[in-house]
Amino acid sequence: MKTAVIEKTLNEFLDIKKIKDYASNGLQVEGCKDTTKVLCGVTASLELIDKAIEIGAQTIIVHHGYFWKNESPCITGIKKKRLSRLLTKNINLLAYHLPLDINPVIGNNYLFGKMLGIQDGRPLEDYPCLNIGTLPKPMTVSELANLISTNLNRPPLSIFLDSDKILSTVAWSTGAAQDYLETAYEAGAQAYISGEISERTVLESRELDTPYFSVGHHASETLGIRALSEWLKQQFPELEVSFVNIDNPV
């Protein structure tokens, strides 16, 4: 299959032209013109690249790629090693960041809400990465922490004042979105879930009396890229598509 066909299909499905992002979406590193094997993963780390080489994949598709806004343009150190490996082996790298976060079919936020059974989940107006909805039933802070832990197979770092506080409406945004906490509170959320946490987040959570659950950037964003790999299999049965989860505690 022509790699360009895969790229065009994904670009259109994820509607990348309509989304302003911190990095380019689509083909970031050009390799083989033809692809028979695709490897998907969360981040284009050296370990993921080596996995692709090991299985003979011509194309890698990730959520976190390269060339982020405001990063150094110099090709040195880690960046040199990664790019050198891709270019030497003639491997394509496709990356989809915010388009994969907000997609209504296989997006990280949609699937995270679905995983927790959240009802009537929707993005807030003017904040496409911030979602709000209703828990499947009212539950305490501790019960929500347990629900998250059960689904992600890892306990969240939870900030709260009262473990018995009853929660119904929650907001969430996967990845590094801790600074949406106050916005979520103003929208009516009784708790907020995201991937990362900062020192200031703890203080904001306490002062707003709004429980905060830091579930892990990587853990919260395995959902979309895994779903994308399955979607790609359905679109192109002739392709050999696989997903590998390189564990990350953050």
Side-chain angles (χ1 to χ4, degrees), residues 167-201:
L167 307 171
S168 296
T169 303
V170 298
W172 73 98
S173 184
T174 64
Q178 57 267 54
D179 289 336
Y180 281 144
L181 172 56
E182 190 167 7
T183 303
Y185 167 81
E186 291 172 349
Q190 297 168 305
Y192 181 54
I193 307 166
S194 190
E196 295 191 12
I197 189 168
S198 301
E199 185 269 350
R200 61 185 176 274
T201 317

Side-chain angles (χ1 to χ4, degrees), residues 61-108:
I61 304 175
V62 296
H63 180 48
H64 300 136
Y66 305 150
F67 314 116
W68 299 92
K69 183 180 179 181
N70 296 328
E71 77 171 18
S72 171
C74 300
I75 309 300
T76 59
I78 289 173
K79 187 187 293 185
K80 180 203 169 185
K81 289 181 181 179
R82 292 173 172 179
L83 289 173
S84 176
R85 198 85 100 236
L86 288 170
L87 294 169
T88 299
K89 297 297 183 179
N90 206 25
I91 297 174
N92 299 285
L93 176 66
L94 282 78
Y96 297 95
H97 184 230
L98 292 185
L100 191 55
D101 283 326
I102 67 176
N103 186 270
V105 178
I106 61 166
N108 285 314

